[in-house]
Amino acid sequence: MELIELKLRDAAEVCRLREAEQQKRVAEAISPQLFTLMGADSEDASFRRITSPATLRDLNPLMHERMQAVCFYLAVTTPFGKRIIRVMVDYIVGEGFKAIAEDRAVQEVIERFWKNPVNKMDENIEALAQELLTFDEICLPVAVNPVDGFVRVGYIDPQEVEAVEYALMETGASQEITIPVAVKLKQRIGESEGRRLEIVRTEEDANAAAFGQLRGDCFYFAINKPKAASRGISEIFNLADWIDVFDSMVFDFADRVRILNSYLLQYVVKGGDAKAVKEMEEKVTKSPPRTGSVLTTNDQIEIRPISPDLKGADMSAAAQMVKLYGLGGAGLPAWFFADPVDANRATAQEMQGPTGKMLTNKQNVMKRIVTAIIAFVLDQAVAHGVLPGGTDLTWKLQVPDLSVRDIAQTATSLQTVANAAGMAEDRGWIRAETAARVFHTLLTQVGVEVDADEFEQARQEKQDRQAQDVNALNPQANLADALKKLPPATGVTQ
């Protein structure tokens, strides 16, 4: 009897929890706010979001889902929205990424992972960049072979993500810092609850067997995410209404032009009464004139072609204003969209500056994503003995240059800066290290990465070359042979 009563209580508790959850979902659905102004509901102090931690910076969860759906729709169906995303992806990914390792064994591990038919990194990097910009986040589950540690990377649709869990870290000043630790997926049919995937991070438990190694079930990355928010925001979310307005304006303008290009035929029955007019209308309606046909009438019937005059203002200026407003919000110049406006070569180069910095920032996001994935691949290879401990894991990620530069102008600039820096060093105005740093800075601006120890290595190589040149003119071996032929020195005593 007690067991039956306990089961009934448990069932009642489950029903009560489900009813409370339904009420919370209804409260979320009818909330008109994009962002909450407080962590809890203003009318119910016990109410907390069911899909994310209490935060002031997150979208309403249902609004977040709609944001992703709307932005995907605009990026697929509207030319303007698609072009904004494609321009960024083409510049960020361009010719593709390539990972280069110094150790041959490490390079083989990277290439095996990179070219795997499931991973297909050459193809998927472009897709991931487009998904990240469109949806605001990507979740990549990983599967590790328990024998050789080989890693395969999957993909989870952002709309399958219910929430991102954050852990709190206490600092010395008793401040709390949130750290993403897991991704909670939506519950599927047949599941008692949604899956929980731990985000890949370094194991910090000193008692764990994998201490110091990377472990986890997935990678999670988000863009446009405030530090206090749990999830990101799509790149075109703030432009969604303007993209839709611009698309509608262009469609309406095209429809208006179509109407203006058409005409009507007006039949005037001179002196005819209402019955005669009615008969003529029925006759023309049943057998309307076709293009190229011949119409014959008497002097009682007059046929007039009429072109509609809508008396509407020119839409081009209004459409141009909306377009430039949207492009300004996206940080892209109009000449990226086959619209030179008033730009010439000089102004186009000036406009490319801030745009180039924006695209560089987004390319750096993709570099961090690929770097984190390859670091996990190499860590698993070491953990499973594929790469022996102590192997040099140094590698670099080569990414496409974001701009096509004038080679002649670049060469002139490099030569001018090199001559100026060399003259300043010769006159004692700056040190050699400063002159090298000036030249290295210019190389960085044209897309050439320079290591921190480049100056010391270059100077050492120069000294070695000079020593080899001196030795070629007067080999040191000849001096050594001559010294051997000298008689031994005799000591002189008093």
Side-chain angles (χ1 to χ4, degrees):
M1 184 64 182
E2 293 181 357
L3 180 60
I4 295 177
E5 183 178 357
L6 180 61
K7 289 183 177 180
L8 291 176
R9 288 181 178 178
D10 290 343
E13 180 68 15
V14 170
C15 292
R16 188 187 67 80
L17 293 176
R18 287 182 177 176
E19 182 179 355
E21 183 176 350
Q22 289 281 353
Q23 293 176 355
K24 292 178 181 179
R25 290 188 180 276
V26 171
E28 292 279 7
I30 64 177
S31 175
Q33 299 174 343
L34 290 179
F35 301 91
T36 55
L37 300 180
M38 58 189 65
D41 192 296
S42 58
E43 298 181 357
D44 184 1
S46 64
F47 172 74
R48 292 185 61 189
R49 291 198 178 279
I50 57 177
T51 57
S52 63
T55 172
L56 305 178
R57 308 302 175 217
D58 272 322
L59 284 171
N60 178 306
L62 294 179
M63 179 60 69
H64 191 278
E65 292 184 11
R66 176 161 177 78
M67 177 267 293
Q68 291 179 334
V70 168
C71 292
F72 176 74
Y73 173 82
L74 294 176
V76 172
T77 62
T78 64
F80 197 40
K82 178 180 179 180
R83 180 61 178 164
I84 290 177
I85 297 296
R86 285 307 313 177
V87 162
M88 294 183 182
V89 173
D90 291 342
Y91 270 84
I92 293 170
V93 179
E95 296 80 9
F97 290 9
K98 187 176 182 180
I100 304 297
E102 297 184 1
D103 189 278
R104 183 179 181 85
V106 175
Q107 184 66 34
E108 291 178 355
V109 171
I110 294 177
E111 289 185 357
R112 183 189 174 199
F113 162 79
W114 197 273
K115 298 178 180 179
N116 182 263
V118 174
N119 297 325
K120 294 188 297 186
M121 293 301 292
D122 283 331
E123 175 183 337
N124 284 333
I125 286 180
E126 176 185 352
L128 293 179
Q130 183 161 342
E131 298 281 309
L132 185 63
L133 294 174
T134 303
F135 290 112
D136 79 281
E137 61 187 356
I138 51 175
C139 181
L140 308 175
V142 293
V144 181
N145 189 314
V147 177
D148 60 359
F150 182 74
V151 177
R152 285 181 173 174
V153 178
Y155 174 80
I156 293 178
D157 191 291
Q159 295 226 318
E160 293 297 321
V161 177
E162 182 176 10
V164 179
E165 296 182 10
Y166 282 72
L168 300 180
M169 180 181 69
E170 297 290 341
T171 65
S174 298
Q175 296 176 346
E176 294 180 344
I177 299 178
T178 56
I179 303 171
V181 295
V183 175
K184 182 69 179 300
L185 303 182
K186 294 179 180 178
Q187 181 179 346
R188 297 186 298 188
I189 298 177
E191 294 180 342
S192 58
E193 61 179 356
R195 292 174 294 164
R196 182 180 182 274
L197 305 178
E198 292 190 2
I199 299 175
V200 173
R201 64 184 187 279
T202 304
E203 177 59 67
E204 299 180 352
D205 186 0
N207 298 322
F211 174 69
Q213 299 177 3
L214 295 174
R215 68 171 190 83
D217 304 315
C218 71
F219 290 96
Y220 176 80
F221 304 96
I223 60 172
N224 301 324
K225 188 186 83 65
K227 293 294 291 183
S230 64
R231 302 175 71 176
I233 297 176
S234 171
E235 191 65 30
I236 58 175
F237 177 58
N238 62 328
L239 302 175
D241 290 334
W242 296 101
I243 293 174
D244 181 63
V245 167
F246 179 73
D247 190 69
S248 299
M249 291 181 66
V250 174
F251 181 84
D252 292 341
F253 183 72
D255 192 57
R256 175 175 176 268
V257 171
R258 180 183 62 82
I259 295 176
L260 290 174
N261 288 336
S262 62
Y263 66 91
L264 302 175
L265 292 179
Q266 181 184 26
Y267 286 77
V268 180
V269 182
K270 298 180 180 180
D273 56 8
K275 180 179 179 182
V277 172
K278 184 66 174 177
E279 291 176 352
M280 177 59 67
E281 180 182 359
E282 292 177 353
K283 178 180 178 180
V284 175
T285 302
K286 292 179 180 179
S287 180
R290 294 175 297 177
T291 302
S293 61
V294 178
L295 301 178
T296 57
T297 64
N298 54 30
D299 57 355
Q300 299 299 315
I301 298 176
E302 180 182 356
I303 302 176
R304 300 173 183 174
I306 299 177
S307 296
D309 185 5
L310 302 183
K311 303 294 184 181
D314 188 4
M315 294 276 295
S316 60
Q320 184 76 357
M321 181 190 68
V322 174
K323 178 180 179 181
L324 293 179
Y325 182 83
L327 291 177
L332 299 172
W335 50 272
F336 274 21
F337 295 76
D339 185 0
V341 195
D342 296 327
N344 52 36
R345 183 180 181 87
T347 57
Q349 290 179 349
E350 292 298 325
M351 293 167 65
Q352 191 174 2
T355 300
K357 295 298 183 182
M358 180 268 291
L359 294 173
T360 299
N361 179 274
K362 298 188 184 307
Q363 187 181 73
N364 289 336
V365 173
M366 289 304 302
K367 289 172 63 176
R368 288 193 291 270
I369 293 175
V370 177
T371 299
I373 294 175
I374 294 183
F376 181 75
V377 170
L378 296 179
D379 184 85
Q380 294 301 314
V382 173
H384 290 78
V386 175
L387 294 176
T391 302
D392 183 8
L393 300 179
T394 304
W395 63 280
K396 293 182 179 180
L397 187 63
Q398 295 181 354
V399 299
D401 193 3
L402 287 173
S403 61
V404 180
R405 298 179 176 85
D406 187 346
I407 302 299
Q409 182 179 359
T410 301
T412 302
S413 300
L414 289 173
Q415 183 178 3
T416 302
V417 171
N419 293 337
M423 181 183 66
E425 179 189 356
D426 293 339
R427 295 186 180 184
W429 296 345
I430 59 176
R431 296 180 302 162
E433 292 86 349
T434 305
R437 191 162 61 249
V438 171
F439 190 73
H440 291 170
T441 301
L442 183 59
L443 288 178
T444 303
Q445 294 296 321
V446 298
V448 178
E449 296 185 4
V450 181
D451 296 333
D453 57 349
E454 183 76 20
F455 174 74
E456 295 296 335
Q457 294 180 0
R459 185 165 59 177
Q460 183 62 46
E461 291 180 1
K462 179 181 178 181
Q463 293 176 355
D464 294 342
R465 289 196 302 269
Q466 291 176 344
Q468 292 176 1
D469 293 341
V470 172
N471 185 66
L473 295 175
N474 189 10
Q476 297 298 306
N478 296 340
L479 177 60
D481 293 340
L483 291 175
K484 291 179 181 179
K485 295 178 181 180
L486 291 176
T490 56
V492 179
T493 58
Q494 296 182 349

